[in-house]
Amino acid sequence: MKVLMFGWEFPPHILGGLGTASYGLTKGLAQQEDMQITFCIPKPWGDEDQSFLKIIGMNSVPIVWRDVQWDYVKSRVGNYMDPQLYYDLRDHIYADFNYMHTNDLGCLEFSGRYPDNLHEEINNYSIVAGVVARQQEFDIIHSHDWLTYPAGIHAKQVSGKPLVIHVHATDFDRSRGNVNPTVYSIEKNGMDHADCIMCVSELTRQTVIHKYYQDPRKVFTVHNAVSPLSKEIQDIVPRKNPKEKIVTFLGRITMQKGPEYFVEAAAMVLRRARHVRFVMAGSGDMMNAMIRLAAERGIADRFHFPGFMRGKQVYEVLKASDVYIMPSVSEPFGISPLEAMQCSVPTIISKQSGCAEILSKCIKTDYWDIHAMADAIHAICTYPALYEYLRDEGKKEVDGIVWEKVGVKIRGLYEQTLKNCGKL
């Protein structure tokens, strides 16, 4: 089976959970021998793992015809794409895009991030998708998150192939209900055109059905999983002070993630025990407000803000922690608690997170219940038996939540969708 996938991030260059999920999901899917995945991203860097899929950089797909030499094309795209593919794609330009600002290869530039002109990049990405869909061979289209829904719709219109969209989050999650109408319309349009909608949790599935008015028969829950730890990560030896406990929040410091509840719970814990330090790792628009809140609560001396973490740094922080906490207000899934439990870190999550549907060897509280949160933190830091139980049983549970099982489920949904569309 050949899958044309549209994504926005792919490791090692990621800005959030979307890239991590895209990698794990495609790797799990690729465990099946006949699965061929072509993964499109705005801007590859050349160090992506292409051992189990093919990556197409949308910034190297021409939309304007240019007469360029092979050696020059190779020097520009050769570290992440076969130069011949550039020429093959060039033969499938479908309209006169000379009015658009393209480079010397006739390609559109992409930031590979989430720039201020994000909506322009999303539109440009969908234009390029039309060239890719005309040239590539595939059985089904799979679009990850709202940024790539317009590209998926265009590819479906060009090819007549079924469209699967993967809802990793909705704007209801990101905005605490204060929805951006432009984003909502892109999301709903993607869902309306989709033949199958995969949601990362039942929580998200219910949002899709009731807030975007989708037919429940085409909306399915496909929980995320976690990739096995590399030897490099396994070999990390944490530096710990036996006299202190470390409690960690790791994620975007935005209202969706509930950082203020973490700070308030920390203040309550520190009124009962002073041997605990709190780490808020990440960046976001609420970071300065959280620094001020910690100061106002008189706990700044026990609070640390190390900034955005990536790759190995994430695991160094996790392994140095005694408790991991994710107090999200609305979390479609949340892979980070699974990563913490993988590292044998006792974990507290909000009941308002999708991963709460599949995890049992952790403590769950309502995001707003700072008293319960503080009690849980204090108990783990105080009672060795509770700490050891959550550490050992949590790791055991998460080691069974693997992407290969997710891949099998997605394959089944692909086949069901193709059958429903009369393509199988």
Side-chain angles (χ1 to χ4, degrees):
M1 183 180 290
K2 295 179 180 177
V3 185
L4 178 62
M5 239 182 234
F6 294 105
W8 205 261
E9 295 183 18
F10 200 80
H13 301 274
I14 60 172
L15 297 163
L18 180 61
T20 303
S22 295
Y23 180 82
L25 186 150
T26 49
K27 191 144 196 191
L29 205 48
Q31 300 285 328
Q32 296 160 61
E33 286 181 10
D34 66 333
M35 189 64 64
Q36 295 178 39
I37 304 166
T38 299
F39 198 92
C40 302
I41 50 174
K43 182 180 179 178
W45 300 86
D47 53 357
E48 292 84 6
D49 179 4
Q50 293 199 53
S51 61
F52 59 93
L53 47 59
K54 178 175 74 178
I55 285 178
I56 293 181
M58 302 299 256
N59 63 334
S60 300
V61 176
I63 62 164
V64 173
W65 203 93
R66 294 275 190 264
D67 186 12
V68 281
Q69 297 300 311
W70 169 277
D71 288 341
Y72 184 67
V73 172
K74 186 178 181 184
S75 71
R76 292 286 302 277
V77 308
N79 66 330
Y80 56 82
M81 191 170 102
D82 180 355
Q84 183 58 48
L85 181 55
Y86 167 85
Y87 293 102
D88 294 342
L89 289 161
R90 193 180 64 175
D91 293 337
H92 290 81
I93 295 169
Y94 58 92
D96 182 1
F97 291 111
N98 277 297
Y99 66 92
M100 298 194 75
H101 184 69
T102 57
N103 62 19
D104 55 342
L105 292 178
C107 303
L108 291 164
E109 300 282 359
F110 291 92
S111 66
R113 304 179 73 82
Y114 298 90
D116 291 339
N117 66 330
L118 181 59
H119 289 281
E120 182 186 349
E121 290 214 348
I122 290 169
N123 183 61
N124 288 349
Y125 186 95
S126 70
I127 289 170
V128 178
V131 177
V132 174
R134 282 167 171 81
Q135 189 273 330
Q136 290 288 302
E137 288 184 12
F138 52 93
D139 302 302
I140 199 162
I141 305 152
H142 191 151
S143 283
H144 291 280
D145 230 20
W146 69 281
L147 307 133
T148 73
Y149 295 169
I153 292 168
H154 192 180
K156 177 182 179 176
Q157 290 169 339
V158 164
S159 65
K161 300 292 170 66
L163 171 63
V164 173
I165 67 164
H166 210 119
V167 185
H168 294 266
T170 70
D171 209 47
F172 284 90
D173 303 301
R174 290 181 290 265
S175 66
R176 281 196 193 175
N178 186 24
V179 177
N180 179 321
T182 305
V183 176
Y184 177 86
S185 67
I186 293 172
E187 290 177 328
K188 187 168 189 315
N189 198 37
M191 294 174 192
D192 290 345
H193 281 85
D195 299 287
C196 171
I197 302 172
M198 297 183 190
C199 302
V200 293
S201 62
E202 182 60 26
L203 187 77
T204 305
R205 180 174 178 267
Q206 291 303 320
T207 300
V208 166
I209 292 167
H210 297 294
K211 302 288 188 184
Y212 294 84
Y213 312 106
Q214 297 302 308
D215 183 346
R217 291 173 297 181
K218 75 171 187 178
V219 190
F220 302 89
T221 299
V222 181
H223 290 111
N224 285 332
V226 67
S227 301
L229 296 179
S230 67
K231 188 173 187 311
E232 181 190 23
I233 302 300
Q234 290 176 33
D235 291 344
I236 293 172
V237 178
R239 290 176 291 177
K240 286 191 175 186
N241 180 345
K243 294 180 181 177
E244 288 190 326
K245 301 294 183 183
I246 304 292
V247 181
T248 298
F249 167 111
L250 196 152
R252 283 181 292 112
I253 306 175
T254 61
M255 62 179 178
Q256 180 193 349
K257 303 295 182 179
E260 68 271 40
Y261 302 106
F262 177 63
V263 178
E264 297 290 8
M268 296 180 75
V269 171
L270 288 168
R271 285 201 286 271
R272 297 159 69 181
R274 294 297 293 179
H275 70 297
V276 187
R277 286 190 180 275
F278 292 85
V279 175
M280 183 172 277
S283 59
D285 59 8
M286 287 181 70
M287 185 169 180
N288 289 337
M290 293 304 99
I291 293 170
R292 285 195 298 273
L293 183 59
E296 287 166 10
R297 295 291 178 265
I299 59 172
D301 61 323
R302 309 299 294 173
F303 227 96
H304 304 270
F305 294 88
F308 182 75
M309 300 280 175
R310 59 162 54 88
K312 189 179 177 184
Q313 293 174 315
V314 169
Y315 290 97
E316 287 171 343
V317 170
L318 289 177
K319 288 201 165 195
S321 303
D322 298 283
V323 182
Y324 179 78
I325 183 162
M326 186 182 75
S328 296
V329 175
S330 179
E331 187 71 51
F333 185 79
I335 288 178
S336 60
L338 279 70
E339 293 171 335
M341 292 163 75
Q342 249 189 330
C343 294
S344 301
V345 183
T347 296
I348 303 166
I349 60 175
S350 73
K351 293 176 182 176
Q352 290 72 27
S353 58
C355 63
E357 296 168 12
I358 61 168
L359 295 176
S360 61
K361 305 303 182 185
C362 60
I363 295 178
K364 303 172 193 177
T365 71
D366 288 304
Y367 71 86
W368 45 262
D369 195 344
I370 56 175
H371 294 275
M373 217 179 285
D375 285 345
I377 294 168
H378 186 262
I380 295 170
C381 292
T382 307
Y383 302 112
L386 178 61
Y387 170 85
E388 288 162 13
Y389 174 81
L390 292 173
R391 177 193 66 192
D392 299 340
E393 294 301 315
K395 178 162 176 27
K396 210 179 291 181
E397 179 174 52
V398 168
D399 284 347
I401 302 172
V402 295
W403 284 111
E404 191 173 352
K405 293 178 184 175
V406 178
V408 170
K409 183 165 188 178
I410 289 174
R411 170 61 181 265
L413 288 173
Y414 283 166
E415 290 180 346
Q416 188 179 322
T417 303
L418 287 165
K419 190 177 178 183
N420 292 345
C421 295
K423 303 288 185 181
L424 200 64

